[in-house]
Amino acid sequence: MKKLLIVLILVFLLCFTGILIAQENLQIYFLDVGQGDASVIISSSGQVVMIDSGPDEKLILNYLKKLNISQIDLLVATHAHADHITGMDKIIAKCKPRAFMDPGIPHTTLAYLRMINAIEKYNVKYYQNIARKIQLGLMNFTVFPNGNPKIYVSELNNNSVVIKLEYKNFSCLYTGDIESGRENQLAKISNINLESDIIKIPHHGSSTSSNLSFIKKVNPKVAIISCGQNNSYGHPSIKTLERLEKNGIDIYRTDINGTILINTDGYNYEVIVEKSPNLKISKKVININLATLEDFVQLLGIDEMIANNILLYRSLNKGFKYPEEIKMVLGIGIWEWEEWKEEGWIIGVK
Amino acid sequence: MIIKLIIDRFEGKYAILESQDKDPIIFNFPRHLLPQEAKESSVLRFNIDIDEKETTRRRNKIVEKLNRLKKNDQGGDIQL
């Protein structure tokens, strides 16, 4: 009888831990911080990883509060630009990370100085950005090698920490602000596996990143673009959006979708967005310097006559210099423009 | 007055500068106005002074134009 009881207890315990393991999951937030990057990974057992902090100290501290984060296991600054590390000093003071990594390329800004000062002051263990693995619970990170940083135009962007998270069968690649120089180097290294379910698109979707050869190596199903609404830098570029679209990759953008949350049990994942959950925004991209008559008539309020006006204007003026110039065309005004924006159209000229 | 500003990064036609304040202000600056050798991390020295003569010249010029316009108005109620 006693034996039976022990067996029953053992069976019960096994089932119970089985349930616990099955329930273990991961939440990955790509926070809407405006023009910049900030991402937080939280495991159901309470481990926290933060990759970049965005451009706004108040905003990021608020997010940490909302997400109830008071400690961080691993903090990564992909590179030293202000749209990735603002507020890091405050975060370090508050959350005392167990580990910190950055590319170790010196920068002269106050934001960078404050971050490095805080690392020293709070005795945070500093890890260099070299090819290595990091294990944290069921999370496995791979830091990819850096190649030759000297060939790059922007040293800081291209030396970004490139780090891949693997969690059981699930994977997510963080690329900082790397540009095509580094992308090409990474794509050529034979003994690394860039392939990932999710990619945080490099450099806010800029036209100088997301090379086809690199994207093909990563072969993602979902692309996250972290950028600010109506930012002055033209991020993301229409070319990048078109390239991703052509390769059948689902695009989510913090400027349009707000904060993006990926929930995964390590096998399946779901993407939860703050705004316009089912809108396939990426489908509504039009390059008004390349679009045909058939493309233009898809826009609300454009018939063939107006579309012909657009084509005429375009050839007379040797193309549109900026998107809103389309309002100069006879038959198109502020009304049409605002309706298109309302419908989620992305109108570009390059 | 000489002020120091740091180049945080470049984005297309902009240089993004950081003011050296307790709460630094990050702002766009036309890249083409900077020396060609300026790089990210470069510390820039701006020698800023107010050009009083030019300010007066410009003000006088616009006042002249305004006065020309105002002269055409005889005053009184308006019936359009």
Side-chain angles (χ1 to χ4, degrees):
Chain A
M1 188 62 197
K2 250 189 186 169
K3 258 190 190 163
L4 185 65
L5 195 66
I6 290 167
V7 169
L8 275 175
I9 288 170
L10 275 176
V11 166
F12 173 78
L13 278 175
L14 274 175
C15 287
F16 188 64
T17 48
I19 290 164
L20 274 185
I21 289 165
Q23 275 182 344
E24 156 90 44
N25 61 50
L26 217 58
Q27 294 183 309
I28 304 175
Y29 290 90
F30 294 91
L31 301 170
D32 176 14
V33 289
Q35 180 49 41
D37 274 19
S39 177
V40 174
I41 305 162
I42 307 171
S43 79
S44 53
S45 45
Q47 286 136 339
V48 178
V49 177
M50 182 170 183
I51 300 179
D52 289 338
S53 63
D56 186 327
E57 180 179 299
K58 267 193 201 140
L59 197 60
I60 193 66
L61 291 174
N62 237 328
Y63 274 124
L64 291 187
K65 211 171 181 182
K66 261 198 239 164
L67 293 172
N68 220 356
I69 293 171
S70 54
Q71 66 85 32
I72 291 176
D73 295 280
L74 170 65
L75 180 63
V76 177
T78 61
H79 65 295
H81 285 152
D83 53 338
H84 293 253
I85 64 157
T86 299
M88 278 289 194
D89 53 334
K90 300 280 163 56
I91 294 166
I92 292 160
K94 185 174 179 265
C95 300
K96 316 270 176 355
R98 290 166 55 211
F100 172 84
M101 181 181 283
D102 98 325
I105 310 284
H107 200 22
T108 54
T109 57
L110 276 174
Y112 190 68
L113 175 73
R114 287 173 181 174
M115 179 174 81
I116 295 302
N117 279 346
I119 294 295
E120 266 198 320
K121 183 175 172 191
Y122 294 98
N123 275 319
V124 178
K125 175 83 182 134
Y126 181 93
Y127 291 96
Q128 292 192 64
N129 175 33
I130 48 175
R132 66 204 313 182
K133 305 243 179 215
I134 304 166
Q135 201 212 324
L136 173 63
L138 294 173
M139 288 182 262
N140 286 293
F141 292 91
T142 305
V143 182
F144 291 111
N146 219 344
N148 174 8
K150 293 291 172 204
I151 64 165
Y152 306 136
V153 182
S154 167
E155 214 189 345
L156 288 169
N157 277 346
N158 271 308
N159 278 303
S160 294
V161 176
V162 177
I163 188 169
K164 175 172 155 182
L165 159 69
E166 281 169 283
Y167 179 73
K168 299 174 215 171
N169 279 351
F170 170 87
S171 54
C172 177
L173 182 68
Y174 287 86
T175 57
D177 275 1
I178 62 168
E179 290 165 24
S180 48
R182 177 84 183 282
E183 286 181 348
N184 289 339
Q185 282 198 336
L186 282 167
K188 275 186 208 136
I189 303 173
S190 53
N191 60 343
I192 59 169
N193 178 13
L194 292 166
E195 204 166 325
S196 304
D197 298 313
I198 315 266
I199 181 174
K200 199 290 298 172
I201 287 293
H203 200 184
H204 323 287
S206 113
S207 59
T208 49
S209 307
S210 298
N211 266 355
L212 190 59
S213 61
F214 178 70
I215 293 297
K216 283 204 161 146
K217 278 266 164 142
V218 180
N219 193 23
K221 293 173 198 80
V222 170
I224 308 284
I225 300 175
S226 192
C227 62
Q229 242 176 51
N230 304 318
N231 64 79
S232 17
Y233 316 128
H235 298 324
S237 91
I238 300 280
K239 263 197 231 152
T240 301
L241 293 174
E242 281 173 348
R243 194 172 309 134
L244 297 172
E245 188 67 41
K246 253 193 205 151
N247 284 276
I249 301 161
D250 288 336
I251 303 170
Y252 294 90
R253 298 169 46 171
T254 58
D255 61 334
I256 292 170
N257 300 116
T259 290
I260 298 153
L261 166 63
I262 312 230
N263 246 330
T264 179
D265 60 2
Y267 301 98
N268 301 303
Y269 61 84
E270 50 175 350
V271 183
I272 301 163
V273 297
E274 197 178 2
K275 295 179 218 162
S276 6
N278 298 316
L279 201 58
K280 278 271 179 162
I281 283 114
S282 54
K283 291 265 187 269
K284 293 184 169 187
V285 170
I286 189 163
N287 179 334
I288 54 175
N289 278 331
L290 297 176
T292 61
L293 189 129
E294 288 73 35
D295 295 329
F296 281 121
V297 293
Q298 288 178 54
L299 289 166
L300 191 72
I302 304 279
D303 55 19
E304 259 183 49
M305 200 181 75
I306 299 178
N308 272 316
N309 288 349
I310 300 174
L311 296 178
L312 186 65
Y313 180 99
R314 189 168 78 188
S315 65
L316 284 177
N317 294 281
K318 299 196 178 73
F320 292 96
K321 272 147 218 86
Y322 55 98
E324 283 195 55
E325 194 183 345
I326 199 170
K327 288 192 288 192
M328 308 288 283
V329 175
L330 192 68
I332 301 173
I334 186 82
W335 185 88
E336 283 78 13
W337 177 262
E338 287 188 0
E339 282 298 304
W340 300 336
K341 289 279 150 180
E342 189 67 34
E343 285 192 328
W345 280 94
I346 299 146
I347 297 159
V349 290
K350 57 181 177 188
Chain B
M1 180 179 57
I2 290 185
I3 54 168
K4 274 184 195 164
L5 295 165
I6 314 297
I7 302 181
D8 180 61
R9 63 187 189 277
F10 292 104
E11 300 271 7
K13 57 187 192 218
Y14 297 106
I16 290 86
L17 307 186
E18 183 199 54
S19 77
Q20 302 302 284
D21 295 304
K22 189 169 166 287
D23 293 315
I25 293 168
I26 307 281
F27 64 100
N28 292 341
F29 190 85
R31 189 178 191 164
H32 71 274
L33 296 182
L34 293 176
Q36 285 241 312
E37 315 82 73
K39 297 191 295 279
E40 55 186 354
S41 261
S42 288
V43 179
L44 304 172
R45 279 162 51 103
F46 283 72
N47 187 353
I48 298 185
D49 51 48
I50 297 165
D51 190 337
E52 296 291 1
K53 240 168 109 182
E54 174 72 0
T55 309
T56 312
R57 197 184 67 82
R58 286 189 181 218
R59 180 171 289 123
N60 288 346
K61 218 168 167 185
I62 202 76
V63 164
E64 215 176 277
K65 281 177 201 281
L66 268 175
N67 285 344
R68 259 203 313 269
L69 291 174
K70 286 176 185 169
K71 244 197 297 190
N72 297 331
D73 179 15
Q74 313 305 322
D77 295 341
I78 301 162
Q79 163 96 57
L80 292 173

